[in-house]
Amino acid sequence: MAGPRVEVDGGLLEGGGQILRVSTALSCLLGLPLRVQKIRAGRSTPGLRSVTEPDTRAVGGPDARVLMQCFDLKAPALIRTGDDSRPVRRATGGGGHRLHRDNVYSREDQRGEPDGRHQDSRVSLPCVLFAASPSELRLRGGTNAEMAPQIDYTAMVFKPIAEKFGFKFNCDIKMRGYYPKGGGEVIVQVSPVKQLNPINITERGSVTRISGRAFVAGALPFKVAKEMAAAAVRCLRKEFRDLYVNIQPVQEPRDHAFGNGSGIIVVAETSTGCLLAGSALGKRGVNADKVGIDAAEMLLGNLRHGGAVDEYLQDQLIIFMALANGVSRIKTGPVTLHTQTAIHFAEQLAKAKFTVKKSEEEGDAAKDAYIIECQGIGMANPNL
């Protein structure tokens, strides 16, 4: 272990999974013993949830020597990550997580709870970038679920923007899974890097293209996908009359989707290479038109605030900005609680320096746009 143990209050700010994701990844990378107390203290069901706990275990491995104690308000649970002599040990909750010594990591949540999806890649990805050799993450559970980015968002928005830090990863969707059954599988392959490059995403430019996909799976009729797509196109064309909007309705092949599900994602591409999105999932009792309109309105909201990244991307970039070698800057809309939380713990654990200021650029006076700047710590891969 390097350095004294860091004490983290798990009830601060967002007070949930975001704290565990950021603090666990940074403790793994920096070799900091970590103790998290009062996890989800302000939630209706406080304590470590079974759908979050595997995310903290997924960062273990030969290159990580971290002891993490997560204290539930009711009973203590000990999570050991990175013990060289044995696999990661179970603490609480379900799933069939395994850690293999050939850098293949697997996490499974058979129940497919709303958070039971591929979100552990947000913990694992920063860690495996600084591993000694290429890694493969085998992630099982829900791929399109509420309260978390859909896998389509990861592939269509997060991946191309995150790769601006100077790394590449492959995201292969083997099987889609939906609430409540889960059953999806995604394989992420990552090669390590020496250092991360800083990014500058502050000039949004003009919207040049809007595309997307509206999907149905299982027993749901294809017309639902077509209705979602058509409603989203009608909504978007009120704002972009002369822009071609291409949202493809898709019937997921039965051998590539487990269970019933529906949803839509729409992505705006700009002249400067920015990507902003809106998405929605179908629900029982909600007509397809509303689902399509909700996704379109989310995208339009992200465009109106003037930011160069959307509300769901901003917090996912914080840990990479903190680790990068140099000054990174991103322009966002209103800074979300998830982003505030990621910044707080990146500063506490990594000692990165962040500033958040209202954008003073011309044309932003009437918009709720902000510049997030970070002096990264220049984390270097000791294995390369």
Side-chain angles (χ1 to χ4, degrees):
M1 294 285 183
R5 185 172 70 183
V6 178
E7 302 284 340
V8 165
D9 185 344
L12 285 177
L13 296 168
E14 179 267 346
Q18 181 77 331
I19 293 175
L20 287 177
R21 286 189 291 271
V22 174
S23 61
T24 305
L26 289 174
S27 69
C28 173
L29 284 166
L30 302 173
L32 296 173
L34 181 69
R35 183 185 184 189
V36 184
Q37 300 188 79
K38 302 178 184 177
I39 295 175
R40 304 179 71 252
R43 303 298 181 88
S44 57
T45 54
L48 189 65
R49 292 189 64 191
S50 60
V51 294
T52 303
E53 177 259 338
D55 299 339
T56 64
R57 289 186 284 118
V59 300
D63 299 318
R65 296 174 177 83
V66 181
L67 174 65
M68 180 175 177
Q69 286 184 297
C70 296
F71 283 89
D72 191 309
L73 294 183
K74 300 173 184 176
L78 179 64
I79 300 174
R80 296 183 183 274
T81 61
D83 186 324
D84 282 350
S85 63
R86 54 191 171 185
V88 169
R89 299 183 61 178
R90 289 194 51 76
T92 60
H97 178 276
R98 297 179 303 280
L99 173 63
H100 306 278
R101 293 191 63 83
D102 58 353
N103 277 12
V104 177
Y105 304 82
S106 178
R107 176 253 172 115
E108 184 167 9
D109 185 342
Q110 296 286 8
R111 296 164 300 169
E113 294 191 38
D115 291 328
R117 45 167 310 277
H118 58 280
Q119 69 180 16
D120 56 297
S121 64
R122 290 180 283 176
V123 181
S124 306
L125 183 57
C127 298
V128 298
L129 286 174
F130 294 90
S133 58
S135 300
E136 181 176 280
L137 308 174
R138 297 177 182 175
L139 314 172
R140 300 184 179 95
T143 58
N144 301 76
E146 294 284 2
M147 306 301 292
Q150 298 186 45
I151 187 60
D152 305 279
Y153 183 91
T154 300
M156 298 169 69
V157 178
F158 173 77
K159 181 179 184 293
I161 299 300
E163 288 180 341
K164 293 179 183 291
F165 286 100
F167 66 87
K168 299 287 185 181
F169 71 97
N170 182 57
C171 185
D172 187 5
I173 306 170
K174 294 294 187 182
M175 179 72 71
R176 291 176 178 269
Y178 313 101
Y179 179 84
K181 293 183 177 180
E185 181 178 15
V186 177
I187 296 180
V188 178
Q189 295 173 320
V190 189
S191 293
V193 295
K194 181 62 178 179
Q195 281 190 315
L196 296 177
N197 301 324
I199 61 168
N200 191 330
I201 308 177
T202 55
E203 299 294 331
R204 193 178 75 191
S206 58
V207 177
T208 58
R209 180 172 181 256
I210 297 178
S211 59
R213 70 192 307 269
F215 69 88
V216 292
L220 298 179
F222 183 52
K223 71 173 185 177
V224 171
K226 293 192 289 186
E227 289 170 359
M228 287 189 294
V233 169
R234 289 194 301 270
C235 182
L236 291 166
R237 280 185 175 156
K238 293 177 183 178
E239 297 279 338
F240 298 96
R241 297 182 183 278
D242 300 323
L243 191 68
Y244 178 57
V245 180
N246 180 24
I247 303 175
Q248 291 292 322
V250 176
Q251 176 78 58
E252 302 290 3
R254 289 190 176 273
D255 59 347
H256 284 86
F258 185 80
N260 301 321
S262 65
I264 180 172
I265 181 170
V266 288
V267 179
E269 301 178 40
T270 77
S271 56
T272 58
C274 296
L275 298 168
L276 300 94
S279 62
L281 291 171
K283 298 179 182 177
R284 187 184 300 274
V286 178
N287 66 52
D289 278 15
K290 185 178 187 312
V291 177
I293 291 170
D294 285 350
E297 288 289 358
M298 182 184 293
L299 172 59
L300 292 173
N302 278 312
L303 291 171
R304 290 180 186 123
H305 61 49
V309 302
D310 65 39
E311 61 185 305
Y312 294 112
L313 184 61
Q314 55 177 259
D315 73 284
Q316 296 186 63
L317 299 179
I318 295 300
I319 191 169
F320 300 102
M321 294 169 67
L323 297 170
N325 184 31
V327 177
S328 294
R329 300 174 80 239
I330 60 173
K331 186 178 179 182
T332 74
V335 179
T336 67
L337 187 57
H338 273 74
T339 298
Q340 295 174 46
T341 303
I343 289 174
H344 177 85
F345 290 101
E347 289 184 325
Q348 180 183 352
L349 276 70
K351 307 305 180 185
K353 302 298 182 183
F354 283 86
T355 59
V356 181
K357 297 181 179 179
K358 190 81 164 61
S359 176
E360 298 177 352
E361 296 179 17
E362 185 178 355
D364 285 344
K367 297 178 180 178
D368 204 8
Y370 295 82
I371 300 294
I372 301 177
E373 182 174 293
C374 174
Q375 174 63 61
I377 65 172
M379 176 81 179
N381 191 335
N383 305 295
L384 299 182

